Amino acid sequence: MTLLVASDPRFAEHDAGRGHPERPARLEAVERGIAEAGLEEALVRVAPRAATDDELARAHGRDLVAALDRFSAAGGGSIDADTAMGPRSMEAARLAAGAGLELVDRLRAGEGDAGFCAVRPPGHHATSQRSMGFCLLNNVAVVAAALADAGERVVIVDYDAHHGNGTEQIFYDDPRVLFASLHEWPLYPGTGALGDTGAGEGRGSTINVPLPARATGDVYRDAVADLIGPAAEAHGATWLLVSAGFDAHRADPLTGLGLTAADFADVTGDLLALAPPGRRLLFLEGGYDLDGLAHSTGAVLGRLLDVEHRPEAPTSGGPGADVVAAARSRHDQACA
Ligand SMILES: [Zn+2]
């Protein structure tokens, strides 16, 4: 297996402010996880490129992108209570959005079996018109939109602990992109209800699994086996994109879910069945406990490389099975 990893020192230059949990040390933890799993020699590093205005316009209003460019160039500041930019933030954000585009090009050229974007700022909260929730541009949506425009059938699975409201909004009425989110409920940003299943031609192409705190890995795996996997097959998915946030880790300070590094590896392994080799791309989203982030990254990238690395045992027995059953029922109704 060949794994392409997009990384760049400029991602560390995005500064969201002193004491902010979405901090440059997160990428140092990602690198530590790769080193501790012994994966550096096995993977292929790729330099990202900056997404262009036209590429960003597939997912965002041009006025939003222009406003972010101006704000960052002027030195930046707060966008809302949790989201801020500095003078180097827009360069990092354009690279974070372009990293996935570069990896798609490489994967399409046959250079690898899967890709991982080790990027920040994260993206899944950014809507078409608004940056929020530590996210400036929606990295996964920019790539999904490019693939859909190229005729691909895309499935996005978002296992970050928070609902991927931005990604959902961008594709809510778009039947080309199946969006499935597993997230803690209630939790920021408050969206992602069971009954939100898409609209118009996109009816049935959004799946929300709002899980209670302390949900464990077995619930996630059941959701993939019983709901997300069959839905992706019915969708005719040709590409798998994963919003791989690791803040559902049980040690995360911002959330209450109960996963471990082995759970993230197992769920990611299950998701690989949704699209063929060379059509699988993961994006780092959240993850705020540095050890949890390091262990989870090592375990997941190990799984993508067929290297067994399980620094923590998998979990089971937590709540949430009823939510998976209810989400499946809502999805079936929306597709009927
Ligand atoms: Zn998150």
Side-chain angles (χ1 to χ4, degrees), residues 26 122 124-125 133-135 158-163 187-188 245-248 252 254-255 285-288:
R26 296 182 59 240
H124 72 150
H125 292 307
F134 314 168
C135 301
D158 185 329
Y159 58 58
D160 186 280
H162 301 91
H163 178 239
L187 194 69
Y188 180 91
F246 299 119
D247 45 8
D252 197 276
L254 303 190
T255 71
E285 299 280 3
Y288 305 100

Side-chain angles (χ1 to χ4, degrees), residues 217-229:
D218 54 338
V219 174
Y220 280 68
R221 298 191 74 180
D222 287 346
V224 174
D226 298 342
L227 173 56
I228 297 170

Side-chain angles (χ1 to χ4, degrees), residues 237-257:
T238 58
W239 270 84
L240 167 69
L241 306 181
V242 181
S243 271
F246 299 119
D247 45 8
H249 192 282
R250 63 187 178 189
D252 197 276
L254 303 190
T255 71
L257 292 166

